[in-house]
C-alpha cells in the first residue's frame, strides 16, 4: 500500500439547514489536505492541533465496511483555516479521510457514499447538527450545491460565478456545535422556497441576504455586526454555518476601502480573500 494525499476545498453557506428541510453551500478555493500512509499502528496528526474524535468516527465507519479493524495507517490533516468557526473544515477533513481510506483500501466509493459517510461521522462526533450534507458535497466536489436534509440527497449541483470579490471574515473565537440547541422552530416555508428559487436561478447574492436576515438574530451573539459591516461597505454579508465566521461579497471597486474599514473597525476578524470554486470532482 502506497502513501496518498487528498485535497479538498472548503465552502460558504447559502441556505443554512438547521431550521429548514434543505441546505445549500458553494465551494470555495481554500484547500485542506489529508495524507494517508502505511504505519505500524493507527495514528492521527492534525494541523492546526485539534480533537481527533471526527477522524476516529470516520475510521469506525470504514472499519464497518471492511469488517476489520484498521491498525496500520497514519492519517494526517492540514488546513489553513481554524476549526469551529463555521468554515467547513470538518466537512472537508471528513470527506478527505473517507476518500483517502477508500482509495487506500481499494473500495472505489462514489461521491454520494463518501458524502453520506462524512455526514454520518459529523453527526456521530457532534461536530454538526444536521450532518452538513450540503457543506460536505460543496467542499468535496465544488460548485453550488442544494441538498435535501431529510433525505440526504442532492437536489442540484451547478457552476456559478459572481462579479464581486469574496472575503472570509474569520473571528478569533470559536463556537462548539454541540452547544447550539436544535429548537422547535423553522424558517417559514415561504422564505425557504424563495431562497431555493433564487439559488436555482443563480441569484446567490439575493439568497444570501434572505438567509442572513433570518439566521443572524438566532445564531450570532452580536447580530448587529451585520448592520455595522453593511453600513461601512454596502456589501452582501453571509453567515458561515452556525457562525461565528462571516463572508462578504464585496464590490471590486471597494476592495481597498473595505479592507481598511474592516481592519480599523473590526480588528477581531481576520480577512481572507478567496473565490468560488467550480465543480472539480
Amino acid at each position: 500500500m502506497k502513501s496518498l494525499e487528498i485535497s479538498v476545498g472548503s465552502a460558504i453557506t447559502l441556505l443554512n439547514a438547521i431550521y429548514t428541510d434543505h441546505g445549500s453551500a458553494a465551494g470555495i478555493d481554500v484547500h485542506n489536505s489529508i495524507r494517508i500512509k502505511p504505519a505500524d499502528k493507527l495514528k492521527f496528526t492534525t494541523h492546526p492541533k485539534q480533537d481527533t474524535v471526527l477522524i476516529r468516527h470516520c475510521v469506525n465507519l470504514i472499519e464497518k465496511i471492511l469488517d476489520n479493524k484498521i491498525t496500520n495507517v497514519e492519517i494526517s490533516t492540514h488546513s489553513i483555516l481554524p476549526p469551529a468557526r463555521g468554515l467547513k473544515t470538518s466537512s472537508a477533513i471528513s470527506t478527505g479521510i473517507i476518500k483517502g481510506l477508500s482509495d487506500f483500501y481499494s473500495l472505489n466509493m462514489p461521491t454520494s457514499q463518501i458524502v453520506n459517510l462524512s455526514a454520518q461521522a459529523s453527526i456521530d462526533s457532534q461536530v454538526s447538527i444536521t450532518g452538513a450534507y450540503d457543506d460536505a458535497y460543496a467542499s468535496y466536489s465544488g460548485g453550488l450545491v442544494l441538498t435535501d436534509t431529510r433525505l440526504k440527497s442532492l437536489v442540484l449541483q451547478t457552476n456559478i460565478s459572481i462579479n464581486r470579490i469574496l472575503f472570509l471574515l474569520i473571528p478569533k473565537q470559536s463556537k462548539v456545535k454541540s452547544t447550539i440547541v436544535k429548537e422547535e422552530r423553522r424558517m417559514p416555508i415561504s422564505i425557504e422556497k424563495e431562497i431555493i428559487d433564487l439559488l436555482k436561478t443563480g441569484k446567490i447574492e439575493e439568497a444570501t441576504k434572505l438567509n442572513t436576515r433570518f439566521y443572524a438574530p438566532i445564531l450570532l451573539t452580536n447580530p448587529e455586526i451585520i448592520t455595522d459591516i453593511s453600513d461601512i461597505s454596502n456589501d452582501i454579508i453571509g453567515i458561515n454555518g452556525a457562525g461565528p465566521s462571516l463572508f462578504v461579497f464585496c464590490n471590486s471597486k471597494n476592495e481597498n476601502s473595505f479592507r481598511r474599514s474592516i481592519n480599523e473597525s473590526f480588528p477581531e476578524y481576520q480577512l481572507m480573500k478567496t473565490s468560488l470554486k467550480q465543480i472539480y470532482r
Side-chain angles (χ1 to χ4, degrees):
M1 296 180 181
K2 296 181 179 180
S3 300
L4 53 89
E5 186 167 346
I6 305 296
S7 178
V8 180
S10 189
I12 56 173
T13 301
L14 303 178
L15 173 60
N16 196 310
I18 295 177
Y19 299 123
T20 67
D21 293 330
H22 296 82
S24 179
I28 61 172
D29 201 17
V30 177
H31 291 276
N32 307 271
S33 63
I34 298 88
R35 180 170 293 177
I36 312 280
K37 65 179 182 180
D40 294 332
K41 61 180 181 178
L42 184 60
K43 181 180 178 182
F44 308 142
T45 57
T46 64
H47 178 83
K49 187 168 180 156
Q50 57 184 297
D51 195 313
T52 58
V53 63
L54 176 62
I55 302 177
R56 178 71 257 181
H57 280 285
C58 289
V59 171
N60 288 347
L61 291 171
I62 299 299
E63 287 178 334
K64 290 179 181 178
I65 293 172
L66 293 171
D67 195 24
N68 198 13
K69 284 288 184 182
I70 294 175
T71 59
N72 61 339
V73 166
E74 179 177 347
I75 300 173
S76 304
T77 68
H78 184 278
S79 178
I80 63 172
L81 298 173
R85 304 298 198 281
L87 293 166
K88 324 306 182 192
T89 53
S90 295
S91 291
I93 294 302
S94 57
T95 53
I97 289 171
I98 291 166
K99 166 65 174 172
L101 291 174
S102 171
D103 291 352
F104 193 81
Y105 291 108
S106 302
L107 297 175
N108 300 316
M109 289 184 185
T111 295
S112 58
Q113 185 178 12
I114 290 169
V115 172
N116 271 305
L117 289 174
S118 164
Q120 187 60 54
S122 293
I123 291 173
D124 292 345
S125 58
Q126 297 186 330
V127 300
S128 171
I129 297 171
T130 65
Y133 189 79
D134 52 330
D135 296 342
Y137 225 115
S139 298
Y140 181 73
S141 60
L144 180 155
V145 168
L146 175 66
T147 61
D148 186 309
T149 306
R150 299 163 302 172
L151 301 177
K152 294 292 185 291
S153 63
L154 181 65
V155 176
L156 171 72
Q157 184 179 29
T158 185
N159 285 321
I160 53 169
S161 61
I162 53 171
N163 294 318
R164 289 175 178 262
I165 298 169
L166 175 59
F167 282 104
L168 301 180
L169 274 66
I170 306 171
K172 295 176 183 177
Q173 78 274 18
S174 62
K175 187 174 194 177
V176 180
K177 299 296 191 304
S178 58
T179 63
I180 301 170
V181 179
K182 185 76 161 98
E183 303 172 41
E184 287 299 320
R185 73 161 85 200
R186 66 158 291 136
M187 175 183 284
I189 294 175
S190 59
I191 297 177
E192 180 179 354
K193 183 179 184 305
E194 185 177 358
I195 292 175
I196 290 172
D197 288 344
L198 289 167
L199 292 171
K200 286 182 176 180
T201 54
K203 297 176 181 176
I204 64 171
E205 297 169 11
E206 294 302 314
T208 298
K209 288 180 183 178
L210 290 176
N211 186 74
T212 300
R213 190 179 304 159
F214 175 79
Y215 277 107
I218 301 170
L219 298 176
L220 301 181
T221 56
N222 176 25
E224 294 79 15
I225 189 73
I226 302 297
T227 302
D228 293 343
I229 295 175
S230 295
D231 286 344
I232 66 171
S233 66
N234 196 31
D235 290 313
I236 298 159
I237 305 162
I239 305 169
N240 280 315
S245 72
L246 308 173
F247 64 90
V248 177
F249 292 129
C250 176
N251 190 311
S252 58
K253 295 179 182 178
N254 301 336
E255 179 179 357
N256 291 333
S257 61
F258 175 76
R259 284 180 180 274
R260 283 195 303 270
S261 297
I262 294 297
N263 290 333
E264 291 171 3
S265 302
F266 306 97
E268 67 271 27
Y269 285 97
Q270 172 195 349
L271 272 177
M272 179 183 290
K273 184 178 180 180
T274 184
S275 59
L276 295 176
K277 190 173 182 67
Q278 305 303 316
I279 298 170
Y280 69 99
R281 182 185 279 129

